[in-house]
């Protein structure tokens, strides 16, 4: 019990102590709150007292920042003014002494204008901009003058010799005259055209001349760039065109290019026109591959970065020169067609085809559309005219009515002309194939050439058949046809025409030649051969008492019994002599121009005549020789006849002495 009371007293004491401690803590807390409350009021009062000072300090700091900005802006503006004065000084001096400095000054002016345009708040900026623009306009005007002066100074016509140096060796002239380059004139059925040569020319290297010194191009480029940036593209185009077009035209004039139209062409003699066409072909190569190629290079380098302007300048500069060249081609293509023009038309067509890809490349761009179309139009017109000339030629061959007399039965001039014509066509096989493709569809273009050739040959044969009817002597008719068709066959066999016309054509026409040779023999020699037969003896006045198989002694006995047969025999010898002499006189004036054919024909005659004559002479010669004046009847030996046959077909004049 006592222990419990003691415990309670102890807990009571502890509780009393805790209450005292809590009371002290509350007192301390109240004191701290009171102190803090006094601090808060003091800080508020201090803050209120410091606010004016803070405002003044911020204002001073802002003022310092604004002053710094203003000073920096002023420095920039002053620097721009300083640069403007420097640029103005250089511009007033002009570009002639220091072009690079002058161009730099223009760039600086443009920079100043941009600067003051973006700083309109500067009160004098409008005035500065106006002054700079005025100065820039003057600068660009002086720049135009400088561009024109420098372009003029370095733009000179190219002498022909310099152009020839850029040609492949095979095209360089032997002399310097414009009309004699590589002997371009005289190109017709007599000229040597080679497709292999054309292939070589297509792969040959051409070296365009330097039209403006390379060191000048960058300066002109910079001048042009400034003018374009200033919006002076049209002025630039005008200056460039006026300067370079005249120089280009003068270069072509020095070369020998003339402005010729259809009326001029119609008035020219063929030989003169043919030479001018040859020159034109040469001029076209030089113009496109050298002059125009060089001019394109200058344009591309000078107007680099301005492709449309480059194309336009090039088109404007070359338009007049191209027109002069193409107008001559047009005049030829539209002039009156004639067979001799076919080969020059093909030559012209060839050069236009050869230059096609280069024209497409050099005259690129929209600005050159018209020039490209004109060149392509000329190419097609030349092809069309050439094809129409083919048709004209075929018709002219068939209807040729020339009265040229070929009295000796030799090859007619028409035949040699047509065959030469056809042979030269085969020098143009690839060209003709291309030409036919311009108008034909389907395949087998080479056979198209074969078809045309066969029609021409057939037209020639038809005409020759008509001409052969002019002869009164059937033998000469067949000799004439034999000569002419043999000439055709021989010419085909020795040319590329054989591959095109084929072996069948050759064999068929060789048989025709042989048929005419046989007809000649029959018509020329049948009558005289009858004199050497028994039928000839009986028909000349003798009776029927001479046996077919009798020998000379048997004949002699028969003749003794019947003097009329002897009389007939003598008459037969006289008739033979007279007919042979007549044949010899006439046919020695006839001509077989081919040596092999002539010998073959003589041999064919000898093979039938000489055996018959020997047999006749052997049977009846002794009887005549035993009679009166035998030399009057037996005038020739077989050897005499053989020798005289050797004089046949030589085309001798009637007054020429006998061999």
């Amino acid at each position: 019990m006592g222990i419990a009371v003691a415990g309670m007293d102890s807990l009571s004491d502890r509780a009393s102590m805790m209450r005292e401690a809590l009371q002290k803590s509350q007192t301390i807390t109240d004191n701290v709150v009171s102190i803090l409350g006094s601090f808060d009021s003091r800080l508020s009062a201090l803050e209120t007292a410091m606010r004016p000072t803070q405002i003044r300090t911020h204002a001073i700091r802002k003022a310092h920042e604004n002053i710094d900005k203003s000073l920096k802006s002023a420095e920039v503006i002053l620097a721009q003014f300083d640069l403007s004065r420097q640029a103005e000084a250089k511009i007033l001096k002009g570009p002639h002494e220091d072009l690079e400095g002058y161009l730099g000054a223009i760039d600086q002016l443009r920079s100043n204008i941009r600067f003051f345009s973006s700083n309109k708040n500067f009160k004098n900026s409008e005035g500065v901009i106006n002054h700079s623009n005025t100065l820039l306009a003057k600068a660009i005007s002086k720049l135009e003058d400088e561009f024109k002066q420098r372009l003029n100074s370095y733009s000179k016509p190219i002498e022909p010799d310099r152009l020839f140096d850029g040609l492949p060796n095979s095209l360089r002239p032997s002399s310097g005259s414009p009309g004699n380059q590589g002997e371009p004139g005289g190109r017709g059925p007599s000229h040597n055209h080679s497709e292999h040569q054309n292939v070589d020319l297509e792969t040959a290297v051409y070296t365009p001349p330097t039209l403006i010194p390379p060191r000048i191009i960058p300066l002109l480029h910079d001048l042009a760039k400034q003018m374009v940036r200033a919006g002076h593209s049209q002025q630039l185009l005008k200056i460039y065109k006026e300067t370079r077009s005249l120089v280009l035209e003068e270069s072509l004039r020095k070369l020998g290019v003339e402005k010729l139209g259809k009326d001029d062409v119609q008035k020219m003699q063929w030989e003169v026109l043919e030479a001018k066409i040859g020159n034109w072909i040469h001029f076209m190569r030089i113009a496109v591959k050298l002059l125009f190629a060089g001019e394109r290079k200058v344009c591309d380098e000078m107007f680099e970065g301005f492709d449309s302007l480059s194309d336009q300048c090039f088109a404007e500069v070359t338009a007049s020169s191209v027109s002069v060249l193409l107008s001559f081609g047009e005049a030829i293509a539209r002039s009156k067609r004639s067979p001799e023009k076919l080969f020059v038309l093909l030559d012209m067509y060839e050069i236009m085809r050869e230059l096609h890809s280069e024209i497409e490349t050099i005259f690129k761009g929209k600005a050159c559309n018209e020039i490209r179309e004109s060149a392509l139009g000329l190419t097609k017109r030349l092809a069309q005219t050439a094809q129409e000339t083919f048709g004209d030629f075929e018709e002219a061959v068939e209807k040729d009515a020339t009265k040229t007399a070929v009295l000796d039965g030799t090859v007619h001039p028409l035949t040699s002309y047509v065959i030469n014509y056809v042979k030269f066509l085969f020098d143009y096989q690839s060209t003709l194939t291309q030409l036919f493709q311009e108008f034909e569809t389907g395949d087998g273009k080479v056979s198209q050439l074969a078809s045309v050739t066969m029609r021409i040959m057939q037209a020639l044969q038809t005409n020759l058949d008509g001409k052969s009817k002019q002869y009164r002597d059937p033998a000469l008719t067949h000799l004439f046809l034999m000569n002419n068709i043999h000439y055709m066959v021989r010419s085909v066999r020795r040319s590329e025409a054989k591959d095109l016309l084929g072996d069948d054509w050759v064999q068929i026409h060789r048989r025709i030649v042989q048929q005419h040779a046989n007809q000649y023999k029959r018509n020329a020699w049948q009558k005289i051969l009858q004199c050497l037969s028994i039928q000839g003896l009986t028909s000349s006045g003798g009776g029927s008492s001479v046996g077919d198989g009798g020998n000379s002694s048997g004949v002699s006995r028969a003749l003794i019994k019947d003097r009329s047969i002897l009389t007939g025999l003598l008459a037969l010898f006289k008739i033979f002599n007279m007919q042979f002499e007549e044949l010899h006189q006439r046919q020695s004036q006839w001509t077989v121009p081919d040596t092999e054919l002539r010998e073959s024909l003589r041999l064919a005659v000898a093979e039938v005549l000489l055996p018959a004559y020997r047999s006749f002479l052997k049977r009846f010669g002794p009887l005549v020789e035993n009679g009166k004046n035998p030399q009057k009847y037996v005038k020739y030996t077989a050897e005499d006849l053989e020798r005289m046959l050797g004089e046949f077909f030589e085309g001798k004049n009637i007054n020429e002495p006998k061999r």
Side-chain angles (χ1 to χ4, degrees), residues 137-423:
K138 291 180 180 178
I140 296 299
S141 178
K142 289 183 179 180
L143 209 58
E144 286 182 15
D145 294 338
E146 183 68 13
F147 181 82
K148 185 175 183 178
Q149 188 273 327
R150 287 189 182 243
L151 188 63
N152 266 317
S153 177
Y154 291 102
S155 293
K156 303 295 179 188
I158 305 299
E159 295 297 325
D161 286 344
R162 280 188 60 202
L163 291 172
F164 300 153
D165 289 341
L167 293 172
N169 290 332
S170 60
L171 285 178
R172 292 183 185 179
S174 55
S175 64
S177 61
N180 194 32
Q181 291 103 21
E183 299 178 358
R187 304 191 68 178
S190 61
H191 79 272
N192 293 320
H193 176 277
S194 169
E195 294 205 328
H196 299 297
Q197 181 187 25
N198 283 354
V199 172
D200 292 341
L201 290 178
E202 288 177 10
T203 58
V205 176
Y206 293 77
T207 308
T210 300
L211 303 183
I212 293 178
R215 63 186 176 83
I216 301 300
I217 296 287
L219 291 175
L220 291 171
H221 169 70
D222 291 341
L223 290 169
K225 185 166 69 174
Q226 291 290 356
M227 292 173 66
V228 172
R229 289 179 65 185
H232 287 223
S233 297
Q234 290 306 308
Q235 294 92 317
L236 176 63
L237 175 61
K238 182 180 178 184
I239 292 169
Y240 192 84
K241 175 194 172 184
E242 288 176 352
T243 303
R244 293 300 306 163
S245 62
L246 291 175
V247 170
L248 183 58
E249 289 167 22
E250 180 63 16
S251 297
L252 289 173
R253 190 195 65 78
K254 283 176 173 282
L255 187 64
V257 174
E258 303 174 82
K259 188 173 184 178
L260 297 170
K262 187 177 178 181
D263 291 341
D264 301 309
V265 166
Q266 297 284 31
K267 294 174 186 175
M268 287 182 190
Q269 294 293 324
W270 168 240
E271 292 76 12
V272 175
L273 182 59
E274 190 179 25
K276 288 191 180 296
I277 291 171
N279 286 338
W280 179 85
I281 291 167
H282 204 58
F283 296 155
M284 282 297 295
R285 275 201 186 96
I286 291 174
V288 173
K289 293 176 180 284
L290 300 180
L291 281 172
F292 296 156
E295 196 66 49
R296 168 53 84 177
K297 183 181 178 184
V298 169
C299 279
D300 288 347
E301 291 176 350
M302 194 175 299
F303 304 111
E304 185 180 1
F306 308 101
D307 290 345
S308 61
L309 180 61
S310 174
D311 292 344
Q312 192 174 1
C313 282
F314 180 69
E316 295 275 352
V317 166
T318 55
S320 177
S321 296
V322 171
S323 176
V324 169
L325 288 164
L326 296 187
S327 64
F328 178 77
E330 289 283 353
I332 298 297
R334 295 178 182 276
S335 63
K336 184 178 180 181
R337 298 193 302 270
S338 60
E340 65 269 17
K341 284 184 182 176
L342 177 60
F343 295 99
V344 294
L345 285 168
L346 293 175
D347 288 337
M348 294 171 76
Y349 175 75
E350 269 184 358
I351 190 63
M352 293 305 296
R353 291 291 310 173
E354 177 188 327
L355 299 175
H356 174 72
S357 61
E358 281 161 297
I359 289 173
E360 290 291 310
T361 301
I362 294 171
F363 293 91
K364 62 183 180 180
K366 185 178 179 181
C368 297
N369 275 348
E370 189 174 341
I371 292 175
R372 291 197 305 274
E373 289 172 2
S374 295
L376 183 60
L378 174 58
T379 305
K380 290 185 175 180
R381 199 160 290 111
L382 288 167
Q384 181 179 357
T385 305
Q387 181 140 331
E388 289 170 353
T389 304
F390 257 119
D392 294 346
F393 180 67
E394 181 184 336
E395 185 178 351
V397 169
E398 186 168 355
K399 295 182 178 179
D400 176 76
T402 53
K403 300 299 182 181
T404 305
V406 183
L407 300 178
D408 58 356
T410 189
V411 175
H412 196 280
L414 176 66
T415 304
S416 56
Y417 176 73
V418 171
I419 293 301
N420 282 338
Y421 205 91
V422 169
K423 282 163 63 178

Side-chain angles (χ1 to χ4, degrees), residues 72-84:
K72 288 179 181 178
S73 296
E75 285 176 3
V76 172
I77 290 169
L78 289 173
Q80 289 294 329
F81 273 115
D82 187 47
L83 292 171
S84 293

